Amino acid sequence: MKRVLSLAAGYTVLIVWAFIVVAPLFWLITTSFKDKLDVYLGPKFIPWIDFIPTSRWWIRIFTVEKNSLLKPYANSLIIGLTSAFLSTFLGLMAAYALSRFRFRFGFMKNEDILFWIVSQRIMPPIIVVFAIFIMYQTLGLLDTHVGLIFIYTVFNLPLAVWILSNFLGQIPPSIEEAALVDGASPATILFRIVIPMLLPSLTATFLLCFVFSWNEFLFALILTYSRAQTMPILIASQHFQRGPQWWDISALATLAVLPPVAITIGLQRYFIRGLILVGK
Amino acid sequence: MGNLGQREKRLLISPAVILLLFFTLFPFVFTLALVFGKVSFIGGKIAIQFAGVSNWVRLLHDQRFWNAVLVTLKIVGIAVTAEYCIGLVLALLLYKKPFGCGFFRVLYVVPMLLTPIAVGYTWRMIFDVGRGPITGILQRVGVNPIGWLVDPNIALYSIIITDVWQWTPFMFLLLYAGLEAIPKDYLEAADVDGATAWRKFVYVIMPLLAPPSIAALLLRSVECFKIVDIIYIMTGGGPGQATESLTLFGYNVGFRAFDLAYGATIAFSLFFMVLIAAMFFTMLTRSLRAIRLE
Amino acid sequence: MRMFRKSVVLALVVLVGLVGGAAARKYEGVTITVFTQPPPYIAKPVMMFAPDWEKATGAKINLVTAPWGELYPKMYASFGLAEALFDIVIFPAAWLPDFASAGFLVPLDEFIAKDPYIQWEDILPIYRERIVSWEGKVYAVPLDGDCHIFYYRKDALENPEYQAKFKEKYGYDLPVPPKTWKQVRDIAEFFHGWDWDGDGQVEYGVVEPRRYAGQADWCFFSRTVGYVALPGQPGGLFFDPETMEPRINSPGHVRALEDYVEIMKYGVPGMINMDSGEIRSVFAAGLAAMAIDWGDIGVISEVGEESTVRGKVGYAVLPGSDEVWDFSRGTWVKLAEPNQAGYLAFGGWVAGIAHNSKHIEAAYDFISYLSRPENSYISVTTPETGFNPYRYSHFEKLSGWIGMGFSAEAAEAYLKAIKDTIGHPNVQPDLRIPGQARYFEAVDRALSRVVAGELTPKAALDEVAKIWDQITNELGRDKQLLYYRLSLGLPPK
């Protein structure tokens, strides 16, 4: 009996939280199907009962506003995927180096170097934003894909290095050493032994970096104008002279959540396994 | 493994180090220089003069600064704690993989994937005192509407609620992974010994969860200190100063009042706060490691 | 034979000349970058007129936009480069002193003098002589006229039954439109919290912007102008024109701020978080009896899809006060007739050419195209452009307004209110000196704190006065005084 009770209690909690998660999302999606007056004279809850849903905003996004939508969407994808890949790859290289070799840069040993790299994550972006703006202006990197890719790679690099060096620290180098003795080249070791072993952590890192880049706001706001505009900026600029365009914002936000959700569903098994050893 | 050449070693690590040096060290130093200076726009050109520690003096005497510190600390303290507790409960319920756990796992992750700007707008709609769903429901049960974003005493908690909604998944994932990593034998041994669920939790699970917990708390706190997007969209820092976090304060001063040197000072104060918090957690990890080795 | 060959060559030359001449458009191959807010407001006219202009001149228009808060810093950055990122900048007139005094904009007097299309004299004097000129030269072309007017629901205030009840309760006839802020307060209280238009929903007294960084500061100044601007005493709103001492904390300002706070009791719920954009839709959705805004509420109410108040809106000059603070005597004076004044809030959007643009002539050509009477008339009578009338010719023809969806009656009333405000004998210009953004930012912050109950009006405004002094000293007191006097149309001291 006690078992049944505790089971029921457990599922109640799970369902309650599931409801808490879904309710705002429900509101978001239904608002994208509401007429303007249905929003201003709200709140209207259930489609077809409280209000008649309309698909005009969605249609408008994909026809009239197609160009102003497609570009930020494509930009976010390109910039997000590229910077996530670079962060993961460079992070892997650095983490591998730090966990397999001994370094000394002046007084800094491996542990210190690692700490320095990871501590970059602590720095609030607002500190560097203005300086980077000036830097980019001088270098002609303002409003370019490359510019944002650089800055996102840099800001996600510490995260990548941390996660990967944690995992690497757990794996004894014996397999690699054996391969070295067998005459394998460093490249072979890296690509045929290390990377397959690290696949869960690599996908977890990639996903996290991608999500952070996809949703980033401050740098995108300050360092781009139009050519490299990303989705968060597009959503934020729906706030016209008539007040927030709730229906457009809702539609765009719904669209914006699809790629991260898709990638997460696809990679979720690896994601969990990759995070297992983060804390150790 | 040490007999790989110097060259390969450096090659592996240089790209990361160079990028970081270039993109973070230089701006960092530049902003630091700003902190000790005074920026003015005379005739359209930027003029920077040396101003010693006057910016710091001004900061420490600025009630708006202390207000922002308090706001930020409250948000971090309450939100991160709530996210941890809720995340722990969810992780405990799901790590044994009961029926439907795959579905819950994926669902719970979704809020974290939304762009914070969108989350801000969503909850701004929901908290709307005239036309939001919460007001609608309250009115149907005969309760007066609550001024979620309008009442200076409540606005901060509305921000916290939004942050908890969005970032509990983060804690949940890390703790879930941590729980999954606990070797099954430990738990089975406890069962064999006849331990109750509570004792199992306190004496087996929590100690093993301590490292991932601290890592999760550290990561999440560091991020939470920088909170700005949600507040910017939902209240703009208001009503009055009720929800102005340090980052938002810095942004307002730097980009609205164009007082760049002071903005840089604010940004640095935030940096120090975060640094202290990070060092605290790191020390905790080290002492924990020391204990476990004994 | 020679004759034949010669004539063939001649014919060929003529032919090539004709074809070549037709194909050589004025600015072939040139790309002009225009920078402003994201569409539709302000950017829409650019998008509307670019294609025809491009066809005629062979140039290309590249429209670049950034959110409102980013405009100023990005324009500033572009002006500092060797070659401008933005050839044309469309910006609020309030920034003109900053840009012009720094030499960022190209003086346009010569272009205008040689331009047969722009009809410079058609532009209302206050715009062409004051708003876009600086130290005697013109630095931008107006594209939009701005002032604040007062809006009210005719179906509420003109209802005889409600008027009778109002007189019973307050002891005087309900003035339509109200002429003082005290009357506005009474009317707001009267219409607050019940369903007076019979649509099954509760309505409220007023809706005005109060949100920080939501253009609430202009709303405050609109409410202040009647208290501090006595005819014949220029400069009441901002500084003393003799000493540059801030006037922001005068008893008139404090009284206006007290009104500003008190009226919130009768405002739409959530008003404290609303910016100037949101209140427009709220008023158009029928939720309030009165509002203050630029011309946008009028357009949205008569034409907008989210409007339930078509034909029910009244338009008027801003209310004022029968008690005015007299700066020269340092006391309140009571007047027989309420003192109302117009306030040219914001000054309007104007288009300027960057000094470091490589295509100045072509840029001017496009700006002129946007501003010429026929085209600007289309701009101000098309919904969602955000451009309000600024030329005499805009007020004369009603057809465009009716074509937009106004009734003839509404169009006349709307235009009358705007014209009366702009042409008011006691019209007050907005603050037009370098650093305007910083002065206003201090006010904006103070307002949001007072409204949240953190500071009293007097304490807040005293603090603002201190900050204003700091800014003035930093920018050079004598220079600021000179610029301030120029902006008021006063001679230098």
Side-chain angles (χ1 to χ4, degrees):
Chain A
M1 190 54 199
K2 205 161 141 208
R3 268 220 80 198
V4 171
L5 268 179
S6 67
L7 205 66
Y11 271 105
T12 309
V13 171
L14 288 175
I15 293 178
V16 164
W17 186 257
F19 176 75
I20 293 179
V21 167
V22 167
L25 295 174
F26 172 79
W27 192 258
L28 183 72
I29 298 177
T30 53
T31 301
S32 68
F33 289 102
K34 288 182 187 158
D35 265 314
K36 296 192 188 186
L37 275 178
D38 286 327
V39 174
Y40 283 113
L41 300 176
K44 307 261 172 92
F45 292 90
I46 309 178
W48 287 290
I49 300 186
D50 294 328
F51 69 95
I52 315 272
T54 164
S55 51
R56 46 193 294 222
W57 311 117
W58 285 97
I59 295 179
R60 194 172 77 170
I61 287 183
F62 284 110
T63 52
V64 171
E65 314 221 336
K66 199 166 48 151
N67 290 323
S68 53
L69 167 72
L70 280 188
K71 209 157 50 156
Y73 211 74
N75 288 341
S76 279
L77 271 177
I78 296 173
I79 294 173
L81 290 172
T82 313
S83 67
F85 174 75
L86 281 174
S87 299
T88 310
F89 186 63
L90 293 179
L92 172 65
M93 283 180 12
Y96 188 70
L98 281 172
S99 65
R100 295 290 184 253
F101 308 116
R102 273 205 312 259
F103 283 92
R104 268 205 91 179
F105 286 127
F107 65 91
M108 303 227 321
K109 291 199 294 234
N110 281 32
E111 214 180 70
D112 306 307
I113 299 177
L114 182 63
F115 183 74
W116 174 71
I117 292 183
V118 171
S119 70
Q120 301 301 311
R121 186 81 193 167
I122 294 177
M123 182 155 60
I126 186 136
I127 286 196
V128 298
V129 121
F130 184 65
I132 302 232
F133 178 75
I134 295 186
M135 217 162 81
Y136 273 27
Q137 195 185 39
T138 326
L139 295 173
L141 283 176
L142 279 180
D143 203 22
T144 58
H145 294 91
V146 173
L148 274 188
I149 290 177
F150 266 135
I151 200 75
Y152 287 164
T153 304
V154 166
F155 266 82
N156 288 320
L157 200 54
L159 193 65
V161 169
W162 188 5
I163 295 181
L164 293 170
S165 66
N166 261 298
F167 204 160
L168 275 169
Q170 298 309 308
I171 299 181
S174 37
I175 302 182
E176 297 150 52
E177 281 171 355
L180 202 63
V181 164
D182 281 348
S185 71
T188 319
I189 295 180
L190 194 66
F191 283 102
R192 297 181 118 234
I193 299 180
V194 176
I195 289 189
M197 270 199 303
L198 280 177
L199 213 49
S201 295
L202 285 174
T203 48
T205 309
F206 180 81
L207 180 63
L208 271 179
C209 292
F210 176 74
V211 170
F212 279 125
S213 298
W214 180 262
N215 290 336
E216 202 278 335
F217 184 67
L218 192 65
F219 283 121
L221 179 69
I222 306 216
L223 300 176
T224 69
Y225 304 110
S226 65
R227 272 177 310 188
Q229 192 192 50
T230 55
M231 281 301 282
I233 308 295
L234 178 66
I235 294 178
S237 60
Q238 295 307 306
H239 189 133
F240 296 150
Q241 260 170 267
R242 290 188 186 191
Q245 304 291 285
W246 302 112
W247 36 91
D248 278 335
I249 293 175
S250 303
L252 288 172
T254 310
L255 269 181
V257 81
L258 294 178
V261 168
I263 298 185
T264 304
I265 295 183
L267 296 178
Q268 57 139 341
R269 264 192 330 227
Y270 294 116
F271 187 65
I272 303 284
R273 262 191 257 152
L275 289 174
I276 282 180
L277 294 163
V278 164
K280 299 239 173 117
Chain B
M1 278 297 275
N3 51 347
L4 227 56
Q6 277 286 87
R7 211 168 35 107
E8 276 84 1
K9 256 176 30 179
R10 303 221 167 193
L11 202 64
L12 277 178
I13 202 173
S14 335
V17 171
I18 291 177
L19 271 181
L20 281 174
L21 278 176
F22 192 56
F23 282 94
T24 58
L25 199 65
F26 159 68
F28 187 83
V29 168
F30 177 84
T31 312
L32 189 61
L34 268 185
V35 168
F36 293 103
K38 203 164 104 80
V39 177
S40 40
F41 294 89
I42 309 217
K45 299 240 182 358
I46 297 187
I48 305 186
Q49 306 154 280
F50 185 66
V53 290
S54 61
N55 281 323
W56 288 107
V57 173
R58 179 176 163 201
L59 191 71
L60 292 174
H61 283 114
D62 192 348
Q63 65 81 31
R64 192 173 166 195
F65 167 67
W66 292 110
N67 175 72
V69 168
L70 198 61
V71 166
T72 310
L73 283 178
K74 270 197 206 163
I75 295 179
V76 173
I78 301 178
V80 175
T81 309
E83 287 157 18
Y84 180 79
C85 296
I86 300 177
L88 184 59
V89 167
L90 296 174
L92 284 170
L93 287 171
L94 285 179
Y95 85 101
K96 293 225 204 92
K97 305 231 183 10
F99 171 74
C101 94
F103 164 75
F104 284 117
R105 236 171 40 195
V106 172
L107 181 67
Y108 289 165
V109 165
V110 173
M112 187 174 104
L113 303 174
L114 285 169
T115 169
I117 297 289
V119 172
Y121 274 120
T122 305
W123 280 91
R124 185 167 155 187
M125 277 196 288
I126 293 179
F127 279 138
D128 191 297
V129 69
R131 309 181 296 274
I134 299 185
T135 298
I137 296 176
L138 286 178
Q139 273 173 345
R140 279 188 206 188
V141 290
V143 176
N144 274 332
I146 303 181
W148 298 101
L149 298 176
V150 164
D151 184 334
N153 297 318
I154 302 185
L156 190 60
Y157 297 100
S158 309
I159 302 280
I160 292 176
I161 291 176
T162 310
D163 191 80
V164 169
W165 182 84
Q166 177 161 32
W167 291 107
T168 298
F170 186 78
M171 295 300 228
F172 163 68
L173 280 178
L174 286 175
L175 293 172
Y176 180 89
L179 282 171
E180 257 212 344
I182 296 181
K184 297 274 190 323
D185 355 333
Y186 285 41
L187 296 168
E188 282 166 10
D191 279 334
V192 163
D193 283 347
T196 64
W198 178 248
R199 289 184 73 91
K200 210 161 70 172
F201 175 70
V202 172
Y203 290 106
V204 179
I205 295 183
M206 277 317 281
L208 286 172
L209 256 192
S213 295
I214 297 180
L217 287 170
L218 170 56
L219 274 175
R220 183 63 206 127
S221 303
V222 164
E223 293 297 315
C224 196
F225 268 105
K226 311 178 201 163
I227 189 168
V228 67
D229 312 18
I230 296 180
I231 305 181
Y232 178 78
I233 297 291
M234 289 174 76
T235 61
Q241 296 178 159
T243 58
E244 194 177 47
S245 67
L246 271 172
T247 300
L248 189 58
F249 176 38
Y251 170 80
N252 281 335
V253 164
F255 287 93
R256 294 206 158 279
F258 306 116
D259 194 346
L260 294 164
Y262 197 50
T265 318
I266 298 169
F268 259 91
S269 67
L270 175 63
F271 175 65
F272 286 139
M273 278 179 64
V274 179
L275 200 60
I276 293 175
M279 289 194 327
F280 168 70
F281 280 113
T282 312
M283 279 192 317
L284 212 59
T285 312
R286 291 216 180 131
S287 52
L288 211 69
R289 248 187 228 151
I291 297 179
R292 298 182 77 219
L293 286 176
E294 280 167 16
Chain C
M1 243 347 252
R2 234 142 128 242
M3 268 308 286
F4 179 60
R5 227 187 286 169
K6 239 181 157 173
S7 48
V8 166
V9 170
L10 193 59
L12 273 175
V13 167
V14 170
L15 195 63
V16 169
L18 275 175
V19 170
R25 292 176 290 181
K26 230 183 339 177
Y27 300 115
E28 192 76 51
V30 169
T31 300
I32 303 277
T33 303
V34 179
F35 180 62
T36 187
Q37 280 196 146
Y41 291 91
I42 315 305
K44 184 166 173 180
V46 176
M47 303 189 316
M48 273 166 38
F49 292 106
D52 285 340
W53 185 80
E54 287 174 341
K55 258 201 292 256
T57 62
K60 257 206 95 250
I61 294 287
N62 175 31
L63 176 66
V64 174
T65 64
W68 160 253
E70 295 300 302
L71 283 181
Y72 188 89
K74 291 201 159 139
M75 286 183 188
Y76 217 93
S78 167
F79 290 137
L81 299 175
E83 187 177 327
L85 270 177
F86 316 125
D87 301 291
I88 297 178
V89 282
I90 302 182
F91 57 95
W95 299 346
L96 189 108
D98 273 323
F99 292 164
S101 62
F104 287 155
L105 300 172
V106 175
L108 302 176
D109 308 75
E110 283 184 19
F111 289 104
I112 294 174
K114 288 190 288 186
D115 188 344
Y117 299 110
I118 198 167
Q119 311 280 31
W120 194 243
E121 303 297 315
D122 181 38
I123 300 178
L124 290 173
I126 192 122
Y127 289 111
R128 70 175 132 88
E129 282 164 19
R130 299 255 284 259
I131 302 265
V132 292
S133 73
W134 183 254
E135 291 186 335
K137 298 217 199 94
V138 172
Y139 283 97
V141 173
L143 295 179
D144 165 43
D146 268 350
C147 63
H148 264 184
I149 61 177
F150 185 75
Y151 296 88
Y152 61 94
R153 288 282 296 275
K154 289 195 296 190
D155 55 330
L157 274 66
E158 288 173 1
N159 182 316
E161 193 193 316
Y162 299 155
Q163 287 183 342
K165 288 217 188 97
F166 182 88
K167 175 141 189 196
E168 238 185 271
K169 182 164 179 198
Y170 294 98
Y172 60 96
D173 290 320
L174 198 163
V176 185
K179 298 222 180 317
T180 72
W181 295 111
K182 175 158 187 340
Q183 291 165 356
V184 169
R185 180 221 161 274
D186 289 340
I187 299 174
E189 184 183 45
F190 182 74
F191 283 107
H192 183 71
W194 52 285
D195 181 14
W196 36 261
D197 65 359
D199 64 351
Q201 281 224 341
V202 172
E203 281 88 36
Y204 307 95
V206 299
V207 66
E208 294 175 10
R210 289 290 182 273
R211 188 186 175 102
Y212 172 66
Q215 306 189 317
D217 33 8
W218 279 287
C219 179
F220 166 67
F221 283 118
S222 284
R223 287 178 146 274
T224 310
V225 105
Y227 280 109
V228 299
L230 270 179
Q233 280 192 23
L237 260 187
F238 305 113
F239 297 95
D240 184 331
E242 303 296 316
T243 65
M244 206 56 190
E245 203 187 304
R247 284 184 164 170
I248 187 74
N249 55 343
S250 81
H253 288 80
V254 174
R255 178 84 62 92
L257 188 47
E258 287 165 359
D259 285 353
Y260 181 86
V261 173
E262 199 198 350
I263 199 82
M264 291 180 66
K265 283 203 291 241
Y266 315 115
V268 173
M271 198 168 94
I272 196 175
N273 242 351
M274 291 186 189
D275 61 17
S276 64
E278 203 170 340
I279 63 144
R280 290 169 192 153
S281 297
V282 169
F283 185 82
L287 292 168
M290 296 177 284
I292 301 173
D293 190 31
W294 289 278
D296 305 86
I297 285 189
V299 175
I300 297 178
S301 299
E302 299 291 344
V303 164
E305 159 200 330
E306 64 265 54
S307 166
T308 61
V309 300
R310 252 202 112 225
K312 300 188 193 164
V313 181
Y315 307 95
V317 174
L318 287 172
S321 169
D322 48 14
E323 278 197 353
V324 185
W325 179 258
D326 186 333
F327 283 102
S328 63
R329 283 191 266 170
T331 57
W332 288 98
V333 293
K334 207 156 160 58
L335 303 174
E337 281 298 313
N339 175 41
Q340 288 174 275
Y343 174 47
L344 297 182
F346 201 81
W349 291 81
V350 301
I353 305 176
H355 72 110
N356 50 347
S357 160
K358 301 287 181 225
H359 310 290
I360 295 181
E361 216 188 280
Y364 175 77
D365 199 273
F366 183 62
I367 294 181
S368 160
Y369 189 71
L370 284 179
S371 178
R372 62 181 65 172
E374 324 80 75
N375 291 343
S376 59
Y377 185 72
I378 297 177
S379 295
V380 302
T381 56
T382 303
E384 292 197 331
T385 56
F387 282 170
N388 299 312
Y390 62 97
R391 286 173 171 272
Y392 288 113
S393 55
H394 291 163
F395 294 93
E396 282 152 20
K397 265 191 313 186
L398 287 186
S399 56
W401 304 96
I402 297 176
M404 216 190 345
F406 277 72
S407 69
E409 195 195 329
E412 264 190 62
Y414 175 69
L415 290 174
K416 180 170 187 312
I418 295 181
K419 221 167 155 205
D420 285 347
T421 302
I422 300 181
H424 202 280
N426 200 12
V427 69
Q428 300 294 316
D430 204 354
L431 183 64
R432 294 188 61 242
I433 57 180
Q436 180 269 348
R438 293 173 59 182
Y439 290 115
F440 267 48
E441 155 69 13
V443 175
D444 200 13
R445 266 211 67 79
L447 291 175
S448 85
R449 297 197 63 198
V450 170
V451 145
E454 290 173 17
L455 288 175
T456 65
K458 177 116 183 47
L461 290 177
D462 282 340
E463 236 183 83
V464 174
K466 264 195 280 188
I467 298 179
W468 276 24
D469 257 335
Q470 272 169 14
I471 302 176
T472 306
N473 289 334
E474 194 188 306
L475 296 177
R477 212 175 175 85
D478 293 327
K479 261 204 310 188
Q480 291 294 83
L481 178 60
L482 171 66
Y483 290 145
Y484 185 58
R485 292 179 67 87
L486 285 179
S487 79
L488 291 175
L490 295 172
K493 288 194 66 173

